[in-house]
Amino acid sequence: MKRRLNAVLSDIEAELRESTERGEVAGYIPPLAGIDPAKFGIAVVLPDDTTLLAGDADEKFSVQSISKVFALTLALGNRGDSIWQRVGREPSGDPFNSSVLLELEKGIPRNPFINAGAIVVADILLGAYQPRETIGEFLRFMRFVTADDDIYIDHHVAQAENDSGFNNAALANLLKANGNLDGAPAHVLGVYHHYCALAMSCRQLARAGLFLTSSGRNPITDTRIVAAQRVRRINALMMTCGHYDGSGDFAFRVGIPAKSGVGGGILAIVPGIASIAVWSPGLNRHGNSLLGTQALEMLCQQMNWSVF
Amino acid sequence: MKRRLNAVLSDIEAELRESTERGEVAGYIPPLAGIDPAKFGIAVVLPDDTTLLAGDADEKFSVQSISKVFALTLALGNRGDSIWQRVGREPSGDPFNSSVLLELEKGIPRNPFINAGAIVVADILLGAYQPRETIGEFLRFMRFVTADDDIYIDHHVAQAENDSGFNNAALANLLKANGNLDGAPAHVLGVYHHYCALAMSCRQLARAGLFLTSSGRNPITDTRIVAAQRVRRINALMMTCGHYDGSGDFAFRVGIPAKSGVGGGILAIVPGIASIAVWSPGLNRHGNSLLGTQALEMLCQQMNWSVF
Amino acid sequence: MKRRLNAVLSDIEAELRESTERGEVAGYIPPLAGIDPAKFGIAVVLPDDTTLLAGDADEKFSVQSISKVFALTLALGNRGDSIWQRVGREPSGDPFNSSVLLELEKGIPRNPFINAGAIVVADILLGAYQPRETIGEFLRFMRFVTADDDIYIDHHVAQAENDSGFNNAALANLLKANGNLDGAPAHVLGVYHHYCALAMSCRQLARAGLFLTSSGRNPITDTRIVAAQRVRRINALMMTCGHYDGSGDFAFRVGIPAKSGVGGGILAIVPGIASIAVWSPGLNRHGNSLLGTQALEMLCQQMNWSVF
Amino acid sequence: MKRRLNAVLSDIEAELRESTERGEVAGYIPPLAGIDPAKFGIAVVLPDDTTLLAGDADEKFSVQSISKVFALTLALGNRGDSIWQRVGREPSGDPFNSSVLLELEKGIPRNPFINAGAIVVADILLGAYQPRETIGEFLRFMRFVTADDDIYIDHHVAQAENDSGFNNAALANLLKANGNLDGAPAHVLGVYHHYCALAMSCRQLARAGLFLTSSGRNPITDTRIVAAQRVRRINALMMTCGHYDGSGDFAFRVGIPAKSGVGGGILAIVPGIASIAVWSPGLNRHGNSLLGTQALEMLCQQMNWSVF
């Protein structure tokens, strides 16, 4: 399989390199707006520690919303299923930044992968701690998950998101007004924006997703990250809610659980088989990487990977 | 008329004093939560400077959203009809604090009397000034309108609203995210919350409304506040949008333009005839004074006052 | 006043005749789609029976939603205030044909002038009668109100609306599903579409509105149509809800209660002074007559007519 | 596996038989309202034709919305991917019968498994045929898929749904008004309600789902029903949209693609492994079988079946 997989990755990278339809780089976070749209990287890590790369797979990018998967994992570990009293598990049918349902449903976000839900998860992790401590804990968790200390938070990006993240500020204040935020909005937003500003390469991100492929264990370090049952549920959430109001289409076209970020990255899981990270900065109209989605569709089709 | 009016006011005050169904005092602004729900005052001022009072008509209360009428008047004077590019003139059919339509309609609030619209008006008045200057200008305008210097802003209330006004903060940030706020959300909210924290008695408020009864002139001081055409339009807005999603019901039952505030006050205008202010802190489910509405309904029925 | 009014009407008619921006004729009701957009008529009737006309004021047109005013008047007469248990009195902030709020609010339409609310009124009038009887009763009422037997229902238009009125059918079925329709949807729609297919001239329509100007009496025939209190409330509803999601703008610009129809007619009331009917088939984006609204704005400005 | 599976099914059936919390039987379709809530059946069919049963697995019930899976399969076979121009592939986040998004999104239903979407699929299948022919074609398809001629449509149920299905009539008319229905609403509803009135037992339904387990072939009859790629996509749609606004929760708790019906049935697919049908008439608040969902959760947990 590895030889074939390597050939497939090379083919995909070669084909997409030439693509002239690359989507739009997210413009609303200034430090991300300048990213070269020609970038493209992909990494596949197998449970036996095989790592296959193509393109800019070792270049770090801002993982943005992909970090919601890890924040949720950490929150489930720290607080258990009580978190589901504060955030739902349903696709919202709305864009990532919508506050419409939030108002109609009295402050309980539909799921932890839309911004409102991820802000609640950040608040849960913040608890009685200081933002700095919580951010530090999250970074340590990411380094533990990947067994790689060369992961950092880009404070420049975090600051820019704090400065221009008016929509997130609206969501945090709406949550607070509805009694579903313990911390001060500014503190919670600080935590949230730092999570999102995590800088990782495709290689690192694919390694980070390995526990989702392997029933909750990192098979390389042989450490348990989370219970097997929880992994299945996190994967289920990625399947139904991982691409905002493009989740159904992604499930339909690609057929595996995945989570996108506006930095252009996507983490995708083939349960039992592979953890995949892909990066191309241009986004489609739902805010998901245009070429990243195409790459995953091609890869899964050619490798016959699907959960269905 | 004056004798009869005096008798009617006394009757209304006597009857409502006894009312046991007084609604709920707004609990979400701490300094207002402690107001005695038994308070009741009413003042009617006629264009010839006759002033008729009943109950606690000389006790100051927080005018809250009634100040939106005066902020709009000031903004129309300063900026003219260009303000209608940033705020609409339609009833919203939604509660005063809703952000649903704001999102669907890309940041243009439906009218200047819902919170989102009033925040835009505050931003227009702020312009390139400092919040402190803008607040000062507004206070001077209120003193000019009433020809009374004993009007002040309760900074304690303003501070409390700044501290707990998460819903307003959500609206301001949503406006900013949609490009309909020039100032920083915190600055605009500071201005807005200070406007709302204006402390006035029924007597003062009824005098302040006199120019809306008299084609834009204060007949007592014989000064022009605003053009006659604008007065009609402000009255029209009060009629269609003055009571949030209870505006239609108020027009149906009472039949004159009016604007309510969560402090329990209502300013009502009988064009050409009278300016009325009423205050009772308990609110109905739309956030409008329960007994204040009843008092106006009784008064207008007995005096045969209606624009229709 | 009459001489001046006559001159104003002539001026308005002359000016608007030349207008090249006339809006779009409603295309979805086939027999209306072919109406000549150059048509323009206006009629003003005063309580002393003076009638002033300009343009095509004696040509019959389809009154469409203007009939909702008379259906409501009849329903209030027949059933009294109990009808308010089945329909609200608030502007909806939505287009005339929306079903969104209807679903969210469990089948209680916001007001009797949006289609859903008018369908409920038709159902109330239908009661246990046959559609044919109810339609007959309505026609008799219109002839009584105007003291004119030359008013008829255009069955060709009614049939066309029945055949193509899928949106109204959706509303009727949604009302039925929510338990707010007693009759069969097809029966109620038959009644409703016949009401709307009423054919009247501006002259007739202005006469029909006279009781709304004169506290519920037809001053010409000296017959009471409805109680004075009810007239005020009907006028209030026209003011807040008479132009769908353009009601606030109409109140702002024109300043008197009025009700429009997609046939291009508008009935407008200057309480105590005049009943006005105007007709120009082209509509603005809210579905209200474009030139008709302009004509009323010019007329009221020049005659200094406003309730505010 | 078969022995263990048999034991698990017996245990589940025994445990759920005793359950006192059984949900509410759907009351709005009269012939279904009288179904005994104590009924419970489950059937598992494996690709090698092994069939394991427990409880009332041979009793026929109304499959209702489960038929949407087969209607979609047939439509994809007949018309191919062009159907996606008329219906989306996204979870809606709304109840099964909502018309809210339909209006906001101009008549394109979010997915083929909400009622509005399934009505569009019925319209696609109807095409230029007569309702009777289309219903006949669907029944033949169901008999072909199961290789069982003992499947019928309960015309009594279909008629009852036609008579009382006001919400579906609202949706069909709204689709027609928005230009996304070719047939007459009454015809399309006739087809749709007959599909839903399909009567099948758990045993039959599980057999019918076998092609979804086996890459589009019925392994027993060795006939191809649909291309392998399409099966994956149908399974993906069941995963993201199969339980209306309870889809995310079902994916989270059970972890396999499934489609429910208000008759209390659920068809669930373990790709490559098993086709499962379960039936218990009581529904949870999302309109999905309460005990059916529990049974699938228990079964999947004990058999370690999950796509994730």
Side-chain angles (χ1 to χ4, degrees), chain D residues 1-14 52-54 299 302-303:
Chain D
M1 180 178 86
K2 290 170 198 176
R3 185 175 303 178
R4 174 157 158 64
L5 180 53
N6 224 355
V8 167
L9 289 179
S10 294
D11 286 355
I12 290 171
E13 194 268 340
L52 300 162
L53 309 174
L299 175 62
Q302 289 174 49
M303 296 307 296

Side-chain angles (χ1 to χ4, degrees), chain C residues 96-108:
Chain C
F96 68 95
N97 57 2
S98 178
S99 56
V100 170
L101 276 173
L102 194 57
E103 175 169 330
L104 296 177
E105 297 180 356
K106 306 297 172 204
I108 305 297

Side-chain angles (χ1 to χ4, degrees), chain A residues 226-287:
Chain A
V226 69
Q229 170 77 333
R230 289 231 165 94
V231 160
R232 288 185 165 170
R233 293 176 160 184
I234 294 167
N235 284 341
L237 283 164
M238 284 202 279
M239 178 65 86
T240 56
C241 314
H243 289 74
Y244 315 117
D245 52 343
S247 298
D249 197 59
F250 188 92
F252 183 90
R253 286 170 55 195
V254 184
I256 57 173
K259 180 75 202 80
S260 68
V262 292
I266 304 177
L267 171 66
I269 302 300
V270 193
I273 295 176
S275 172
I276 311 165
V278 61
W279 174 50
S280 170
L283 306 180
N284 65 19
R285 69 189 173 89
H286 295 296

Side-chain angles (χ1 to χ4, degrees), chain C residues 221-273:
Chain C
T221 60
D222 196 30
T223 49
R224 171 156 301 284
I225 313 294
V226 70
Q229 169 78 332
R230 289 233 165 93
V231 160
R232 288 185 166 170
R233 292 176 162 186
I234 294 167
N235 283 341
L237 283 165
M238 284 201 279
M239 178 64 88
T240 56
C241 314
H243 289 74
Y244 314 116
D245 52 344
S247 298
D249 197 59
F250 188 91
F252 183 91
R253 286 171 55 196
V254 185
I256 57 172
K259 180 74 202 81
S260 68
V262 291
I266 305 177
L267 171 67
I269 303 300
V270 193
I273 296 176

Side-chain angles (χ1 to χ4, degrees), chain A residues 209-220:
Chain A
L210 212 49
F211 76 94
L212 294 167
T213 303
S214 307
S215 303
R217 296 187 79 80
N218 181 331
I220 304 171

